C-alpha cells in the first residue's frame, strides 16, 4: 500500500539521523547533549511548544504511568489532551497521541515531508529531537489545550526541556543511565530536577532522601513550590486482582478520604501504581487551582479507563502470560513485590532480556527468589545484551535457564511446555515485553 510505503520511508528518514538511544557506551558531551539545536528547531517552527499548557514529567520510573493517568483524567473532563512519551512498545506512533489516539501514519508522513527542509538546516540534529519537534508541532496544529510531556532521559538537557510548563513533576528517582546522568541518586536527581522552571509548582512522588534533598535545593533556587505527595497523602488499598485494583486516597493532615470518600479503580497493578495515581491526583489538584474544571466523576472515570500497556499486563490467561517493562534494579524490585503479592505460590518462568547498559547481575539477583526458571533472549534493539553475556550471568548465579537468540521461537515453546499452574513473565526491557506481546498477537491470528 502507498501509505505504508511512505510511512516506512518517513521512519527511515527520522532514524537516519544521530540516534543516541542506540549508541553503546554513551557519555555526556556538550556536542551530543545541549539544547541549542532544539531551540533553533523550535524557533524555525514558530515555537509550537509554547501554544498550549504543558505538564512536564521527569523521573526514573513511573513517569509514563503518571502521564497516562493524568491525561486520561483530563480527557474525561472534556479537554483535548496531547501525550508525548518514549520509547514506544510496539508501534512508533504510540509516542505521539491526542486524546489517546496515535498520530495517523499519513499525518506523520506529511509532517516529515513538510519539515524536511527545516530539519536538514539544523546541524547535528538527533532522531529524538526530530520526533519531539514533530510532536510539539502536531499538538499545536491540532490545538490541544494541554499536553503531558514525558522526558526522554534525564531532564536538564533533554530535548523536551524547551517547554514552559504550568506544572513540573518528578517521579521516583533511582539508578539508571549512570554513565550519562551520574552514579549517585543525588546526581541523577539533579539532572531530573533540571526541568524545574522559575515559580512553577513541582509535584514529586515518594523519593529517597538524597533525591528529595537535591530536588528541594533546585526548587528553592527557582522559587518553585514543592508538593510532596508522600507527605500530603497515603492510600488504603481496598482489593486487587489480575484485572484491576481499587484504593482510597487519604489526606494525612486531616486523616480524611479525599475527595468525598471516593474509591478509585485502576487497571494498572502493583502498589507502586497507586503511588503513581496519587502523583497524578496531585496534578489534578493543581490544575483545578489553575481553573481547569475536573469533576470527581472525571477523576474516577479517568483512573478506571487509563490505558498504559506493558506494566504487569496480562496478555494471555491459559497459560498466564504477563509482560512488564521493568528495566533497572528499582523496577525489578517492584516487579518482584508484585509477583509475590499477585501470584502467590504459582511457578513463574521469567523471559528475560536487557540492554547492555543495565545492572543485569543485580537485577537477576533481586528477582531470583521468585523465579523457578529463566528463559534468556534478546530483542532486536541495537543495545540489547548478547545471549552469551546473559548465559555468563546465569552460570555465575547458578540459574536454571534456557537460552535462545531467536525471540520468535519463545511463544510456541512456552505454549507447548506450559503446565496449568505455570506463569510466564516477559521483562528486563520494554523491548522484550513489546516483542512478546506482538508475537503472541501474531500467533493468535
Amino acid at each position: 500500500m502507498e501509505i505504508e510505503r511512505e510511512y516506512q520511508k518517513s521512519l527511515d528518514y527520522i532514524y537516519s539521523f544521530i540516534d543516541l538511544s542506540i549508541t553503546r557506551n554513551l557519555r555526556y558531551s556538550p556536542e551530543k547533549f545541549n539544547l541549542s539545536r532544539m531551540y533553533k528547531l523550535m524557533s524555525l517552527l514558530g515555537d509550537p511548544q509554547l501554544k498550549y499548557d504543558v505538564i512536564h514529567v521527569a523521573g526514573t520510573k513511573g513517569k509514563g504511568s503518571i502521564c497516562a493517568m493524568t491525561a486520561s483524567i483530563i480527557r474525561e473532563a472534556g479537554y483535548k489532551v496531547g501525550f508525548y512519551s518514549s520509547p514506544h512498545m510496539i508501534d512508533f506512533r504510540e509516542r505521539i497521541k491526542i486524546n489517546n489516539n496515535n498520530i495517523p501514519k499519513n499525518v506523520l508522513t506529511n509532517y516529515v515531508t513538510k519539515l524536511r527542509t527545516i530539519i536538514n538546516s539544523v546541524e547535528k540534529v538527533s532522531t529524538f529531537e526530530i520526533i519531539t519537534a514533530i510532536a510539539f508541532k502536531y499538538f499545536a496544529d491540532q490545538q490541544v489545550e494541554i499536553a503531558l510531556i514525558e522526558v526522554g532521559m534525564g531532564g536538564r538537557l533533554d530535548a523536551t526541556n524547551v517547554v514552559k510548563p504550568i506544572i513540573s513533576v518528578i517521579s521516583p528517582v533511582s539508578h539508571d543511565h549512570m554513565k550519562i546522568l551520574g552514579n549517585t541518586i543525588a546526581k541523577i536527581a539533579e539532572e531530573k530536577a533540571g526541568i524545574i522552571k522559575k515559580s512553577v509548582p513541582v509535584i514529586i512522588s515518594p523519593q529517597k532522601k538524597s533525591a528529595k534533598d537535591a530536588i528541594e535545593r533546585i526548587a528553592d533556587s527557582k522559587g518553585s513550590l514543592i508538593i510532596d505527595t508522600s507527605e500530603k497523602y497515603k492510600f488504603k488499598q481496598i482489593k486487587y486482582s489480575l484485572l484491576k485494583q481499587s484504593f482510597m486516597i487519604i489526606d494525612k493532615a486531616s486523616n480524611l478520604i479525599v475527595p468525598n470518600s471516593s474509591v478509585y479503580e485502576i487497571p494498572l497493578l502493583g502498589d507502586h501504581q497507586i503511588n503513581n495515581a496519587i502523583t497524578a491526583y496531585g496534578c489534578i489538584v493543581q490544575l483545578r487551582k489553575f481553573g481547569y474544571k475536573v469533576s470527581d466523576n472525571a477523576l474516577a472515570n479517568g483512573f478506571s479507563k487509563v490505558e498504559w500497556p506493558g506494566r504487569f499486563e496480562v496478555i494471555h490467561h491459559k497459560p498466564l502470560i504477563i509482560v512488564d517493562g521493568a528495566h533497572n534494579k528499582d523496577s525489578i524490585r517492584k516487579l518482584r513485590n508484585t509477583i509475590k503479592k499477585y501470584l502467590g505460590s504459582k511457578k513463574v518462568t521469567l523471559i528475560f532480556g536487557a540492554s547492555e547498559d543495565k545492572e543485569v547481575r543485580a537485577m537477576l539477583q533481586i528477582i531470583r527468589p521468585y523465579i523457578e526458571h529463566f528463559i534468556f533472549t534478546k530483542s532486536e534493539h541495537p543495545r540489547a545484551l548478547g545471549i552469551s553475556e546473559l548465559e555468563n550471568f546465569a552460570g555465575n548465579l547458578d540459574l536454571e535457564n534456557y537460552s535462545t537468540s531467536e525471540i520468535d521461537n519463545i511463544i510456541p515453546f512456552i505454549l507447548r511446555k506450559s503446565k496449568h499452574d505455570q506463569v510466564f513473565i516477559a521483562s528486563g526491557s520494554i523491548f522484550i515485553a513489546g516483542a512478546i506481546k506482538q508475537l503472541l498477537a501474531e500467533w493468535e491470528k
Side-chain angles (χ1 to χ4, degrees), residues 81-98:
V81 186
F83 178 13
Y84 178 57
S85 63
S86 62
H88 59 279
M89 186 175 178
I90 295 173
D91 184 341
F92 174 89
R93 298 176 304 123
E94 297 166 16
R95 294 168 176 249
I96 305 171
K97 297 174 182 283
I98 293 179

Side-chain angles (χ1 to χ4, degrees), residues 429-442:
S429 150
I430 194 67
F431 306 111
I432 293 293
I436 293 298
K437 183 174 181 178
Q438 187 171 24
L439 288 167
L440 179 64
E442 291 170 358

Side-chain angles (χ1 to χ4, degrees), residues 9-242:
K9 283 170 62 177
S10 296
L11 292 187
D12 291 343
Y13 172 76
I14 290 170
Y15 282 114
S16 70
F17 289 81
I18 302 164
D19 189 356
L20 300 179
S21 72
I22 66 172
T23 305
R24 288 178 177 266
N25 300 313
L26 186 62
R27 295 287 198 282
Y28 248 180
S29 71
E31 181 182 353
K32 291 187 178 72
F33 292 95
N34 69 76
L35 292 178
S36 62
R37 294 183 302 272
M38 197 63 195
Y39 275 118
K40 181 177 180 181
L41 194 53
M42 289 295 95
S43 177
L44 292 170
L45 292 175
D47 284 320
Q49 80 282 9
L50 306 181
K51 295 180 179 177
Y52 41 84
D53 288 341
V54 166
I55 298 177
H56 199 197
V57 184
T60 307
K61 287 300 296 179
K63 58 185 185 290
S65 297
I66 292 165
C67 284
M69 285 189 262
T70 307
S72 182
I73 293 164
I74 302 168
R75 187 172 66 250
E76 284 296 309
Y79 294 95
K80 192 171 186 178
V81 186
F83 178 13
Y84 178 57
S85 63
S86 62
H88 59 279
M89 186 175 178
I90 295 173
D91 184 341
F92 174 89
R93 298 176 304 123
E94 297 166 16
R95 294 168 176 249
I96 305 171
K97 297 174 182 283
I98 293 179
N99 284 353
N100 209 34
N101 296 312
N102 295 348
I103 183 171
K105 290 181 179 180
N106 65 315
V107 173
L108 181 68
T109 297
N110 288 340
Y111 273 102
V112 170
T113 301
K114 287 193 299 184
L115 304 185
R116 189 179 291 249
T117 301
I118 290 174
I119 290 168
N120 290 342
S121 72
V122 180
E123 189 176 358
K124 294 183 179 179
V125 68
S126 73
T127 290
F128 185 69
E129 289 164 345
I130 293 167
I131 301 167
T132 304
I134 290 171
F136 289 168
K137 183 78 167 83
Y138 176 54
F139 293 160
D141 290 348
Q142 292 298 310
Q143 297 181 323
V144 303
E145 294 164 277
I146 187 167
L148 277 293
I149 305 297
E150 179 188 350
V151 166
M153 181 173 60
R156 181 174 63 94
L157 298 177
D158 186 76
T160 64
N161 203 26
V162 295
V163 298
K164 291 185 177 178
I166 59 170
I167 299 172
S168 302
V169 181
I170 302 179
S171 73
V173 175
S174 59
H175 287 107
D176 204 10
H177 300 297
M178 282 94 78
K179 292 177 181 177
I180 301 168
L181 304 180
N183 56 10
T184 68
I185 293 293
K187 286 181 179 178
I188 295 169
E190 285 176 4
E191 290 297 325
K192 307 288 186 186
I195 70 165
I196 296 173
K197 304 295 188 295
K198 184 178 180 181
S199 301
V200 173
V202 186
I203 297 170
I204 65 171
S205 300
Q207 304 286 351
K208 295 182 175 70
K209 184 179 186 303
S210 57
K212 185 179 176 183
D213 288 348
I215 294 166
E216 285 183 337
R217 184 170 63 253
I218 291 171
D220 286 347
S221 72
K222 300 285 181 70
S224 300
L225 173 69
I226 280 193
I227 299 101
D228 184 344
T229 57
S230 67
E231 289 184 355
K232 286 186 69 68
Y233 307 110
K234 60 183 178 179
F235 69 83
K236 179 182 179 182
Q237 190 177 52
I238 308 302
K239 56 185 177 181
Y240 60 90
S241 70
L242 286 172

Side-chain angles (χ1 to χ4, degrees), residues 281-319:
Y281 174 74
C283 290
I284 300 304
V285 170
Q286 287 301 306
L287 284 177
R288 285 169 167 170
K289 291 179 180 179
F290 294 150
Y292 277 78
K293 298 187 184 306
V294 183
S295 69
D296 291 349
N297 281 340
L299 188 61
N301 291 338
F303 275 136
S304 67
K305 293 180 182 179
V306 64
E307 296 178 17
W308 193 233
R311 279 72 186 173
F312 209 77
E313 178 189 6
V314 176
I315 61 171
H316 197 268
H317 288 277
K318 291 184 180 180

